[in-house]
Amino acid sequence: QQTGRRFNMFLKRRLRISKKHQSKDSVFFRDGVRRIDFVLSYVDEPNKEEEKKVERRREFEKNLQKSGLELETEDKKESEDGKTYFVKIHAPWEILITYAEVLNIKVPIRENDIPSSVENPLDCMLGPFRLPEKVMHPEPDYFTAPFSKSRQELYLIHDENTFFSPSIRNRIVYYILTRCPYGTEEGKKKFGIKRLLSNGTYTAAYPLHDCQYWKKANDPNCDNERYTLYMEWARFLRFYKEQPLDLIRKYYGEKIGIYFAWLGFYTEMLFLAAVVGLICFLYGWFTMAENMSSEEICDPEIGGKIIMCPLCDKKCEYWKLNTTCESSKYSHLFDNVATLFFAIFMGIWVTLFLEFWKRRQARLKYEWDLVDFEEEQQQLQLRPEYEAKCTHKKKNPVTQEVEPYLPLTRQTVRFCISGTTVLFWISLIIASMTAVIAYRLAVYASFAQIMETTQTLQPIRGLLTPQLATSVTASCLNFVIIMILNFLYEKIAVWITDMEIPRTHLEYENRLTMKMFLFQFVNYYSSCFYVAFFKGKFVGNPSNYTYMFGSLRNEECDPAGCLIELTTQLTIVMAGKQIWGNIQEAIVPWIWNWWGRRKARCNPENLYSRWEQDRDLQSFGVLGLFYEYLEMVIQFGFITLFVASFPLAPLLALMNNILEIRVDSWKLTTQFRRPVAAKAHSIGVWQEILNGMAILSVVTNAFIVAFTSDMIPRLVYYYAYSTNGDSPMSGYINNSLSVFQISDFPANKTPENNPENFLTCRYRDYRNPPGHEKQYLHTMQFWHILAAKMAFIIIMEHIVFIVKFFVAWMIPDVPADVKARIKREKFLTQNILHEYELEKLKQKLCECKTHENMEKEVIATEGKMELSQAM
C-alpha cells in the first residue's frame, strides 16, 4: 500500500510537471510574452467570512480588468501548499503610457552628449575599490522629458516591452491597485489593495524579483539584476567595494537608492572622524603614565594616606583613595586635553558632513532625473485611507477639483488624543529612567559594602569600583528597558498616526518620523544625559547629604571624575543597540524565511514557482526604510551628542556601518520581497533632524567638557592655585578633596565601623574645612571654577558655531559643474521639444497650406525657440 501511495504521488507530480512545458521559474505569463508586473495571493478557506472575501475579490479583479490590466490566475492545485491562489497582473502598453503621463514619469529622448566631468587623478589608486563599469552604469545617460501620449515619436522607444523598466511598471500597477474600488460596504465606497490586505481578502501583494539571487535565470530576456546585485553588492566579502547606486536605483527605485547613497556617504565621512578619534585615544593611552592625578591617587604616600568618607550610610566603611588607582588611570584615556580638541573637531566634522551631503544629493538629483521632481507632486496624490475615511468634500484651490477633507474639529480632537498619548509614553520613559536611578542608588550602597567585606573581590577591587559596578549593571538594565519600550511604542506610534488620518503619504511619514524620533531620543539618550549632567552634581556634604525619595543617597562620582562612567554608559547602550539591530535585521528574517520554505526547498523549480518563492520571503513594508533611517540617526546622535566622552564612538560606528551596508543589501536582495519602486529626491525630514542634532551636539559637548570632565578644575588649579612651579599639577588631588570631621556626622547616619578611630575623612568637593567660620560651605575656588566653566561653554560654543556657519557659507549646496549641466540639459531638452513641435506644425502646414492660422502658429513657435535660446 505504501508503495502504491508513493507511485500515485509520483504520477500526480509528473502530471503537474508535464501539464505545462514552460518552467514556473519565470516572470512571464503562460504565453511567455506578457511580463508579470504584480502578484496577488489569497487562500480560499470555506467559512462565513469567506463569502464576503470572494465577493470583494470578484469585484476588485473585475474593476482591475476594466481599468485595462490583464490577469491570469494560478489554481490552488498548482501551488506548493495546495491551498493558495495566485493572481498574476500584467500592464499592457496602453496602460503604461496612460499612467506614465499621469505620474509625470521622465523617459529618454536623446543620448546625453555633455562630456563627463574631469577625471579624478586618484582614480588609478582607487582601482581596487571600483566595480565594473557595466555594474556601476547599467544604462547610458540620456536627456529626458516627461512622457506624453501625444508625442510618442519623440522618445527613444526601441521595444515597447522593455521601454519601461520593471521598477516603473510595478510602480504604475501599484498606483492602480491602491485606487481600484471593490464595492460599497455600510454605505461607504471601499477601494484599494491596502484595505483588502488588512481585512484578509488577499494575503499578499508584491512585484516579482527578476531571478534567483544565487543564479542567473534561464530566460535570455531576463536582465538578472538581482543576481548582479547579490554578487557585486550584497556579499560581505565585497565590503571594500563601492556601491552600484545606479543599479540599485534602477532595480529598487530612487527612494531606496537615496538611502544607500546617504548611508555610504555617511560611512565614508566616518572614516575621517574614526581616524582622529583613534589618534586622540592613543594620545590618552601613551600619556597615561604621565598623568599627575592618577600618580598621586596611586602613590601609597599620598593616595594611600587619604581616608575617604564612606560611600553609604551606617553600613559602609572608610576607604583609602588608592583603591581607585586602576580606574583613575583608565579615566585618563578619555579625560585629557585631546578630549577638548576632539569635541571641537566633531562640531566642525558634522557641518562638513551635512554640507558635503547636500552637494552629493544635488549631483544624484541631476543624474537620476529628479531635478524637477518635487515632493509637492505627492501632495496631489491623496492616501487611499484618507479618501475612504473622509466623507466631507470641498474644492481644492490648486486643482479646482472636489476632494475629500477632514473638518477642523475632528482634526483637533485627533491631534489632542495623539499628543496626550505621546506625552504619556514620554512620561513613562522618564518614570522608567527614575526607576533605574533609584536602582543605582539602592545597589550602590550594597556594592560598596560587598566589595569592602568580600575577600574574593579584593584582587579586582582596584579596577571594579562600586561606582563602575553600579554603572555597568544599571546600563545593562537600562538597555533592556529601552528595547522593551521601543517594541511597545512602535505599535502605538503607528496606531496614533493612522488615527490622525494624514492627507498624503508624505504627511504620514513625516508625522510618524517626528513621533518615533522624539520618543527614541528621550528613550536612548536620557540615561546618558543623567550620567553626564546630573550624577554627582547634587550630592551635598557628609553632614547634609542629598537624598532621593527621602532614603536613597545621591550617587557620587569617582575621585577621578564621572567621565569614565559616561563612557561606560555610552558604550553599553550604543554597542548593545548595534548588535541587537543587526541580529534583528539579518538573523530574524532568515529564520522566518527558512521556516516558511522548509517544506518547499526540496521541490524542483517546475513545482516551486517564482511567485511562490517570492511569497515565502518577508515583506519589506512601506515603513521599511523608516526604521533604517531611524537606526542610523540614533547612532548619529551617539557619535555627536556625547562624543567628547568617548573618542572611539566614530570607530565603532564605522565598523558597524560597514557591516550595516552589507546586511541591509543582503536582506533586501535575498530575504525580502521586491519593494514597490518609489521616488524621492532627498532624505526628507531626516535632513532637518540631523541639522538640529548637529547644533545640539555643540552645546552638549561643551557642557560635557566643562561639567563632566575634570579639565576645567585642573586648568583653574594649574593657573591660579598651584604652588609648585616645577610641577604645577602636583597637589591637585589633595586640593580637590574637602575635609570632614567624623564627629559631625548626623547620629542616625554615622558609620558603624571605625576600627582605626579616624578623626577626619575626605570627600570630592570644594568646601571649607571644619572649624572655619563658614564650615562646609563652598570655597571661593568653587565659584572660580564655576565661572571658568560657564566662560568656557560660551567661548567654545561661539567659536564652533562661527566656524560651522562660515564653513556652511563657504560650501555651496549645488556644485558649479552640476548647475551648469542642469542648465545645459534644460536648454537642449527645450530645443529638442520645440524642434519636434515645429516639425509637426510644418507637416500640418504642408497638408493644409491655405490655413493662415497654422502659419501664425509656426511663426509663434519659432519665436518661442529664439526667445528660449536667448534666455
Side-chain angles (χ1 to χ4, degrees):
Q1 286 180 356
Q2 240 178 4
T3 309
R5 280 199 203 106
R6 286 177 184 170
F7 181 73
N8 287 335
M9 288 175 65
F10 172 77
L11 280 179
K12 286 180 182 178
R13 184 165 292 192
R14 290 296 300 170
L15 283 170
R16 285 171 61 187
I17 293 174
S18 60
K19 190 174 181 180
K20 182 168 58 61
H21 296 293
Q22 182 198 358
S23 168
K24 285 191 175 183
D25 190 29
S26 169
V27 292
F28 294 94
F29 275 21
R30 295 191 189 101
D31 58 19
V33 177
R34 291 173 294 170
R35 187 183 188 92
I36 301 172
D37 296 314
F38 228 89
V39 175
L40 308 178
S41 68
Y42 63 90
V43 177
D44 190 4
E45 296 178 350
N47 54 52
K48 293 181 180 179
E49 186 65 26
E50 189 61 30
E51 293 178 7
K52 287 184 180 179
K53 293 179 181 178
V54 170
E55 183 58 35
R56 289 173 191 152
R57 284 194 292 265
R58 185 184 299 115
E59 189 67 24
F60 185 68
E61 290 172 17
K62 184 175 75 174
N63 289 330
L64 287 178
Q65 289 175 321
K66 282 182 180 177
S67 69
L69 296 178
E70 297 175 1
L71 310 183
E72 184 177 84
T73 303
E74 289 287 331
D75 192 82
K76 65 181 180 180
K77 296 176 183 177
E78 298 295 319
S79 65
E80 184 274 330
D81 59 7
K83 59 183 180 180
T84 305
Y85 290 88
F86 292 92
V87 180
K88 299 175 286 186
I89 302 174
H90 169 76
W93 175 252
E94 282 301 318
I95 294 299
L96 292 174
I97 61 175
T98 299
Y99 284 93
E101 187 170 11
V102 170
L103 296 174
N104 206 35
I105 292 172
K106 287 188 172 183
V107 293
I109 55 175
R110 184 180 295 179
E111 196 160 337
N112 192 337
D113 58 1
I114 300 176
S116 59
S117 54
V118 181
E119 290 189 4
N120 188 344
L122 298 177
D123 276 349
C124 56
M125 296 175 60
L126 299 175
F129 306 100
R130 300 291 189 200
L131 287 173
E133 183 65 20
K134 189 178 179 181
V135 176
M136 286 302 297
H137 304 290
E139 291 181 318
D141 192 13
Y142 293 104
F143 292 138
T144 59
F147 189 85
S148 173
K149 289 177 70 175
S150 61
R151 295 191 297 216
Q152 292 187 45
E153 304 87 357
L154 177 65
Y155 310 115
L156 300 178
I157 305 175
H158 302 303
D159 184 354
E160 291 182 356
N161 293 322
T162 59
F163 180 67
F164 293 107
S165 67
S167 60
I168 293 176
R169 296 174 71 102
N170 72 55
R171 183 181 160 212
I172 289 172
V173 173
Y174 187 71
Y175 181 85
I176 299 171
L177 289 173
T178 54
R179 284 156 178 80
C180 182
Y182 60 84
T184 304
E185 296 178 8
E186 299 174 0
K188 293 182 180 179
K189 190 176 181 181
K190 302 290 184 179
F191 56 89
I193 187 63
K194 290 183 181 179
R195 187 177 290 273
L196 291 172
L197 288 170
S198 64
N199 62 29
T201 303
Y202 289 100
T203 56
Y206 51 92
L208 292 180
H209 283 293
D210 65 352
C211 67
Q212 305 276 18
Y213 69 85
W214 66 86
K215 66 175 183 177
K216 291 185 177 181
N218 297 325
D219 193 331
N221 296 322
C222 182
D223 294 330
N224 296 299
E225 289 172 350
R226 185 189 187 194
Y227 172 78
T228 304
L229 285 169
Y230 174 71
M231 297 301 293
E232 301 290 349
W233 177 52
R235 294 189 300 166
F236 182 73
L237 293 178
R238 313 291 283 179
F239 74 91
Y240 61 94
K241 294 283 188 180
E242 61 184 336
Q243 297 188 85
L245 294 177
D246 287 347
L247 185 57
I248 297 168
R249 172 244 182 171
K250 182 172 181 269
Y251 192 74
Y252 291 114
E254 287 81 0
K255 195 167 187 178
I256 289 178
I258 207 84
Y259 163 73
F260 280 104
W262 176 80
L263 180 57
F265 184 80
Y266 171 44
T267 305
E268 290 170 13
M269 290 293 291
L270 273 176
F271 182 78
L272 175 62
V275 169
V276 176
L278 182 61
I279 291 171
C280 292
F281 175 78
L282 293 176
Y283 170 83
W285 181 274
F286 290 126
T287 59
M288 192 188 297
E290 302 169 11
N291 180 28
M292 183 61 69
S293 299
S294 58
E295 281 185 22
E296 291 186 346
I297 290 173
C298 296
D299 191 340
E301 297 300 317
I302 303 176
K305 293 184 178 180
I306 294 178
I307 306 302
M308 302 296 292
C309 295
L311 298 172
C312 63
D313 297 334
K314 298 182 74 173
K315 298 294 183 181
C316 293
E317 297 180 352
Y318 299 94
W319 54 285
K320 294 181 179 180
L321 182 61
N322 65 350
T323 57
T324 63
C325 172
E326 293 299 321
S327 65
S328 68
K329 286 181 179 178
Y330 289 114
S331 179
H332 178 73
L333 287 172
F334 309 104
D335 193 358
N336 54 67
V337 69
T339 300
L340 173 60
F341 165 77
F342 193 59
I344 295 173
F345 167 81
M346 286 302 292
I348 298 169
W349 175 88
V350 169
T351 306
L352 291 173
F353 163 63
L354 293 175
E355 292 303 315
F356 282 127
W357 165 245
K358 288 178 187 175
R359 292 169 62 84
R360 179 78 176 107
Q361 193 170 252
R363 194 174 292 279
L364 285 175
K365 282 174 68 175
Y366 166 72
E367 292 174 355
W368 290 356
D369 292 321
L370 298 170
V371 173
D372 297 323
F373 174 79
E374 295 294 338
E375 297 290 356
E376 283 71 23
Q377 290 178 10
Q378 295 185 13
Q379 298 287 352
L380 302 177
Q381 299 175 14
L382 301 179
R383 290 175 67 234
E385 295 85 350
Y386 181 85
E387 294 177 301
K389 292 180 181 179
C390 297
T391 54
H392 296 77
K393 306 281 185 181
K394 72 174 183 180
K395 185 178 286 189
N396 187 318
V398 178
T399 62
Q400 293 297 307
E401 294 178 359
V402 176
E403 291 182 350
Y405 83 103
L406 196 65
L408 185 61
T409 52
R410 290 179 62 187
Q411 285 186 43
T412 305
V413 171
R414 291 170 184 273
F415 280 136
C416 287
I417 296 172
S418 173
T420 305
T421 307
V422 173
L423 288 175
F424 167 77
W425 278 87
I426 290 177
S427 302
L428 191 62
I429 297 173
I430 296 171
S432 67
M433 181 65 210
T434 306
V436 173
I437 294 172
Y439 163 84
R440 297 175 75 108
L441 302 181
V443 303
Y444 178 72
S446 303
F447 275 128
Q449 187 177 1
I450 290 169
M451 290 182 179
E452 287 175 2
T453 56
T454 306
Q455 294 298 319
T456 54
L457 295 177
Q458 294 304 313
I460 62 169
R461 187 179 170 188
L463 181 62
L464 189 65
T465 62
Q467 292 95 330
L468 188 59
T470 303
S471 184
V472 170
T473 55
S475 298
C476 294
L477 176 63
N478 185 62
F479 175 71
V480 173
I481 292 174
I482 285 171
M483 291 295 105
I484 293 172
L485 289 176
N486 270 352
F487 175 77
L488 297 174
Y489 183 76
E490 281 179 7
K491 301 182 183 304
I492 297 295
V494 172
W495 175 75
I496 58 179
T497 307
D498 287 338
M499 184 198 63
E500 291 174 8
I501 318 180
R503 188 169 179 273
T504 65
H505 292 289
L506 186 64
E507 282 183 26
Y508 183 91
E509 286 189 15
N510 288 349
R511 290 185 191 181
L512 182 62
T513 297
M514 294 311 297
K515 289 183 185 71
M516 285 296 296
F517 176 74
L518 180 62
F519 177 84
Q520 299 239 10
F521 184 91
V522 178
N523 199 17
Y524 278 108
Y525 302 143
S526 56
S527 58
C528 293
F529 272 101
Y530 165 73
V531 175
F533 306 124
F534 296 98
K535 183 181 177 183
K537 308 298 187 293
F538 310 100
V539 176
N541 66 81
S543 66
N544 185 25
Y545 279 122
T546 305
Y547 291 85
M548 184 179 179
F549 305 128
S551 59
L552 298 173
R553 196 173 106 186
N554 281 358
E555 288 181 280
E556 300 177 46
C557 285
D558 192 276
C562 258
L563 199 68
I564 188 67
E565 294 183 47
L566 177 58
T567 304
T568 304
Q569 178 78 25
L570 184 66
T571 305
I572 289 174
V573 176
M574 181 180 173
K577 183 187 181 306
Q578 293 182 167
I579 293 169
W580 176 252
N582 285 325
I583 290 173
Q584 207 172 16
E585 288 183 19
I587 297 177
V588 173
W590 180 83
I591 291 173
W592 279 112
N593 288 337
W594 173 83
W595 182 256
R597 292 195 303 257
R598 69 193 187 284
K599 292 180 181 178
R601 62 178 180 267
C602 297
N603 286 347
E605 66 177 32
N606 304 71
L607 299 180
Y608 193 34
S609 62
R610 158 71 45 203
W611 39 93
E612 289 179 278
Q613 294 166 28
D614 283 15
R615 191 276 313 268
D616 289 339
L617 298 176
Q618 297 297 299
S619 174
F620 190 64
V622 292
L623 296 177
L625 275 187
F626 166 80
Y627 293 113
E628 300 297 340
Y629 275 118
L630 184 62
E631 179 187 3
M632 287 297 102
V633 169
I634 293 297
Q635 183 205 82
F636 181 81
F638 280 124
I639 69 162
T640 53
L641 296 176
F642 308 101
V643 74
S645 67
F646 190 37
L648 291 180
L651 181 61
L652 285 182
L654 174 65
M655 292 189 293
N656 174 78
N657 286 9
I658 291 173
L659 180 64
E660 180 77 20
I661 291 173
R662 303 303 157 179
V663 167
D664 285 352
S665 59
W666 173 80
K667 73 178 184 183
L668 200 61
T669 308
T670 67
Q671 303 301 309
F672 283 86
R673 297 172 192 156
R674 185 174 186 170
V676 178
K679 274 188 175 290
H681 75 298
S682 68
I683 61 174
V685 72
W686 298 108
Q687 182 79 38
E688 301 306 318
I689 291 174
L690 293 174
N691 289 333
M693 293 180 76
I695 294 171
L696 181 61
S697 68
V698 177
V699 179
T700 55
N701 283 305
F703 272 85
I704 287 171
V705 173
F707 285 96
T708 311
S709 79
D710 264 11
M711 184 174 298
I712 302 302
R714 287 177 192 149
L715 290 174
V716 171
Y717 178 80
Y718 183 91
Y719 288 107
Y721 290 91
S722 177
T723 57
N724 189 335
D726 297 330
S727 180
M729 287 306 296
S730 62
Y732 168 73
I733 290 296
N734 187 59
N735 176 265
S736 66
L737 299 174
S738 299
V739 179
F740 180 75
Q741 191 165 305
I742 292 174
S743 59
D744 291 337
F745 269 118
N748 61 335
K749 308 293 183 184
T750 304
E752 296 175 352
N753 298 319
N754 186 8
E756 299 185 39
N757 296 318
F758 297 120
L759 300 177
T760 61
C761 63
R762 310 294 291 275
Y763 60 100
R764 194 171 188 266
D765 208 342
Y766 294 92
R767 293 179 183 268
N768 292 309
H772 193 277
E773 59 181 349
K774 295 182 179 179
Q775 73 172 6
Y776 305 140
L777 296 179
H778 286 121
T779 64
M780 188 56 66
Q781 185 175 353
F782 170 85
W783 300 109
H784 287 165
I785 291 172
L786 183 61
K789 287 179 177 179
M790 299 307 295
F792 168 80
I793 290 171
I794 293 170
I795 293 169
M796 177 181 168
E797 285 183 358
H798 279 70
I799 290 174
V800 176
F801 278 132
I802 288 170
V803 174
K804 277 171 65 72
F805 291 132
F806 178 73
V807 169
W809 175 75
M810 285 287 292
I811 301 174
D813 291 349
V814 183
D817 67 307
V818 172
K819 281 184 180 179
R821 290 165 73 87
I822 290 172
K823 290 178 181 177
R824 173 67 177 162
E825 181 167 340
K826 280 187 176 180
F827 169 74
L828 292 176
T829 304
Q830 276 186 344
N831 270 1
I832 293 169
L833 292 174
H834 292 159
E835 285 173 8
Y836 172 78
E837 290 176 6
L838 185 60
E839 190 62 33
K840 284 189 72 175
L841 287 171
K842 284 181 177 178
Q843 287 176 4
K844 289 181 181 179
L845 185 61
C846 291
E847 294 170 3
C848 193
K849 293 183 179 180
T850 59
H851 291 100
E852 190 176 333
N853 289 338
M854 194 70 73
E855 294 177 2
K856 291 179 179 179
E857 195 173 345
V858 171
I859 294 168
T861 304
E862 289 176 339
K864 192 165 96 175
M865 288 180 60
E866 291 174 5
L867 180 61
S868 173
Q869 290 173 354
M871 290 172 65

